[in-house]
Amino acid sequence: IERYNELHSKHTVEARTKDNYWMVHKFYDMVTDFYEWGWGASFHFAPRARGEAFLASIARHEHLIALKLGLKAGMHCLDLGCGVGGPAREIARFSRAKITGCNINEYQLARLAEEAKRQNLDKLVDGVKADYHNLPFPDNYADAAYQIEAFCHATDLKKVYSEAFRVLKPGAVFAGFEWVVTHKFDDKNEIHLAVKKGIEEGNGLADMFRQDYVIE
């Protein structure tokens, strides 16, 4: 934890980017059990309707992804940056498509496999140790793909989206939700800077991408 703290307190964005693989891997080694205990198996936010339960909003968000991708039985979809597989299990249960999660963290992949088996979803949900900067799949491999607040850990966003495009079949759909710094961010505002730094340090990010850059 000392090295992680130093990367955020004493080092530059360039240094964190250089050590990004180590930083992200170790971050999730440290926080995964806490996340599951305090947040649930789906490590993401979701719009929440008035009176709606938290877990219901998470599930509805994941069902929306399945519907937008047109997932159904017989299709094969990639979850790029899958965590412990909460979204993959929910989407597979909802759509009956097969979901393969990609992750660099062995512990999270073990939790994915354990929970898929426990919930009798192991024929529909599996995991592969894979870096989404360099996916171990051939061209035109998957029927669909998605990422949920995962590409914020990327060091080369163009490479990551290029890889997603490469492994998708022609005409396949990709869905994603991302954290960004909006055009309202003022890099001379100390409060804005402190909030950005807190998000980065508290979530294993080297740097937050600008909204315009992500859209481009």
Side-chain angles (χ1 to χ4, degrees):
I1 193 169
E2 289 82 4
R3 182 180 170 191
Y4 179 87
N5 288 338
E6 284 185 2
L7 280 171
H8 284 278
S9 63
K10 299 179 181 179
H11 294 279
T12 63
V13 170
E14 290 74 22
R16 289 195 295 274
T17 300
K18 182 179 179 182
D19 281 347
N20 188 68
Y21 188 98
W22 178 90
M23 181 179 67
V24 174
H25 191 280
K26 292 303 180 183
F27 174 78
Y28 283 109
D29 277 348
M30 291 188 287
V31 305
T32 292
D33 287 341
F34 293 106
Y35 275 21
E36 283 201 85
W37 176 77
W39 194 266
S42 295
F43 300 170
H44 65 81
F45 295 97
R48 192 172 174 187
R50 185 182 297 274
E52 185 176 33
F54 170 71
L55 291 179
S57 73
I58 294 289
R60 179 171 54 80
H61 196 56
E62 293 163 357
H63 296 170
L64 175 63
I65 292 173
L67 292 171
K68 291 292 186 181
L69 292 176
L71 295 181
K72 59 185 178 182
M75 294 179 69
H76 186 197
C77 177
L78 301 179
D79 180 336
L80 303 178
C82 63
V84 296
R89 291 190 295 277
E90 186 65 35
I91 289 171
R93 187 184 292 112
F94 177 76
S95 69
R96 306 313 294 174
K98 180 177 180 181
I99 313 295
T100 294
C102 301
N103 197 327
I104 63 170
N105 187 276
E106 296 92 342
Y107 179 66
Q108 290 195 338
L109 287 169
R111 289 290 299 126
L112 179 151
E114 180 181 356
E115 283 299 307
K117 184 175 183 179
R118 187 182 72 82
Q119 297 180 34
N120 199 30
L121 288 167
D122 48 319
K123 288 184 171 59
L124 289 178
V125 177
D126 62 7
V128 174
K129 185 176 182 183
D131 183 343
Y132 49 45
H133 294 83
N134 187 25
L135 292 169
F137 307 117
D139 296 355
N140 307 325
Y141 175 74
D143 298 303
Y146 64 86
Q147 66 90 12
I148 309 177
E149 301 173 21
F151 283 5
C152 54
H153 292 297
T155 56
D156 185 340
L157 205 55
K158 291 182 179 179
K159 172 66 172 171
V160 168
Y161 277 106
S162 294
E163 276 293 276
F165 180 78
R166 179 185 66 79
V167 301
L168 286 173
K169 295 176 181 178
V173 179
F174 175 88
F177 293 90
E178 198 52 272
W179 294 3
V180 297
V181 174
T182 75
H183 65 277
K184 295 181 180 180
F185 178 77
D186 180 357
D187 59 11
K188 295 181 176 60
N189 184 309
E190 292 186 2
I191 295 176
H192 289 195
L193 291 169
V195 170
K196 179 175 179 287
K197 184 179 186 301
I199 292 172
E200 290 165 353
E201 186 171 358
N203 294 277
L205 309 182
D207 192 23
M208 290 185 70
F209 295 115
R210 301 282 179 145
Q211 174 183 350
D212 293 343
Y213 175 70
V214 173
I215 293 171
E216 179 187 349

